[in-house]
Amino acid sequence: MKKIVVLTGAGISAESGLKTFRDSDGLWEGFNIEDVATPEAWERNPALVQEFYNMRRKSVLEAQPNAAHYALARLEEKFDVTIITQNIDDLHERGGSTNVIHLHGVITRSQSSKNPNLTYPIDGWELKMDEVCELGSPLRAHVVWFGEAVPMIEKAAKICMKAELFILVGSSLAVYPAAGLVNYVPPGVVKYIIDLKIPFVSRDNTFIKMEEKATRGVPKLVNELLSEQ
């Protein structure tokens, strides 16, 4: 089956009611990112950081996949699909996609403060400060903070190198290294961008641009691709 690689960003989750990572005022849910999304913030005020991600997790669990998530899952009927997402929600999985790589972690899991490779499922939305990993270290949200390495980036780059069709949905291409993944797609591969605000993509004119929201553009493209098979 033809290999399709999809890179998704906050725009696809926004239509499920989840706030984008950075609003126009530079804040995330009213917080300075430096106060809730850095290792220094965790050292300085772990209770605040824990509470922030508990609230984000609650919002994620209350949200539902939208038409774009469901449409991407339908692609698996006739294609070999890998979704690489910058999002920390699990809406792709709940929408039916079976092969999802989370570049920045997934908020429904916790991780050890001492060893980021030790991760655990979270029962419900709340992660308490007295919950610890097997090493006795406090558990935190399984998300990649500013200043931390992106452990899945090399795997994602290798997958992009094998793409036979590439789709970018709802990403402003402002956060690196994720934004650089488009450069790993082989020359000549057909590439689509679906976004209400099409991001600037270097001098690459090979993208087919669909300037509309994900819940309209993605089902439309998926229907076209499936009908061609």
Side-chain angles (χ1 to χ4, degrees):
M1 289 194 290
K2 193 172 188 177
K3 177 70 178 174
I4 295 182
V5 177
V6 186
L7 176 60
T8 68
I12 195 170
S13 296
E15 292 191 71
S16 289
L18 298 178
K19 288 285 184 72
T20 54
F21 183 67
R22 270 200 196 89
D23 286 333
S24 55
D25 55 8
L27 302 177
W28 186 13
E29 296 278 5
F31 287 84
N32 284 309
I33 286 164
E34 298 77 21
D35 293 333
V36 292
T38 64
E40 293 77 18
W42 176 253
E43 289 178 20
R44 195 165 55 240
N45 192 342
L48 173 67
V49 175
Q50 197 81 294
E51 177 65 11
F52 176 81
Y53 285 100
N54 281 341
M55 291 299 100
R56 303 294 73 70
R57 191 176 301 108
K58 193 169 189 288
S59 297
V60 165
L61 293 176
E62 289 169 352
Q64 296 299 319
N66 60 50
H69 295 107
Y70 289 122
L72 289 175
R74 283 177 51 225
L75 274 178
E76 295 185 19
E77 294 170 14
K78 295 185 179 179
F79 297 96
D80 173 9
V81 183
T82 301
I83 293 176
I84 302 168
T85 186
Q86 296 172 261
N87 301 331
I88 58 174
D89 60 67
D90 62 348
L91 295 178
H92 281 300
E93 288 90 342
R94 285 197 272 142
S97 291
T98 62
N99 192 10
V100 184
I101 292 175
H102 286 270
L103 288 175
H104 301 141
V106 61
I107 199 168
T108 52
R109 294 186 71 84
S110 65
Q111 76 179 51
S112 163
S113 296
K114 192 173 288 184
N115 180 352
N117 295 318
L118 293 176
T119 73
Y120 311 86
I122 298 173
D123 184 18
W125 62 269
E126 189 174 19
L127 186 59
K128 296 185 172 67
M129 289 302 299
D130 60 357
E131 294 185 63
V132 296
C133 72
E134 59 212 64
L135 303 175
S137 172
L139 290 173
R140 48 164 270 200
H142 178 46
V143 296
V144 175
W145 289 332
F146 283 95
E148 294 184 322
V150 180
M152 300 302 288
I153 196 69
E154 287 185 17
K155 181 178 180 180
K158 288 177 181 175
I159 289 168
C160 287
M161 291 168 70
K162 296 176 182 175
E164 295 174 282
L165 190 148
F166 182 81
I167 305 170
L168 176 68
V169 184
S171 174
S172 62
L173 295 180
V175 176
Y176 282 83
L181 288 173
V182 296
N183 300 321
Y184 288 90
V185 179
V189 167
V190 175
K191 292 174 283 193
Y192 292 87
I193 292 183
I194 302 170
D195 207 305
L196 267 177
K197 292 170 68 177
I198 301 291
F200 175 72
V201 190
S202 63
R203 286 188 284 272
D204 192 337
N205 297 317
T206 62
F207 276 90
I208 298 168
K209 297 169 183 175
M210 301 175 67
E211 199 162 351
E212 49 192 329
K213 59 185 183 179
T215 51
R216 284 181 59 85
V218 174
K220 186 187 298 183
L221 176 59
V222 168
N223 286 338
E224 284 178 18
L225 294 172
L226 290 175
S227 66
E228 291 169 2
Q229 293 300 300

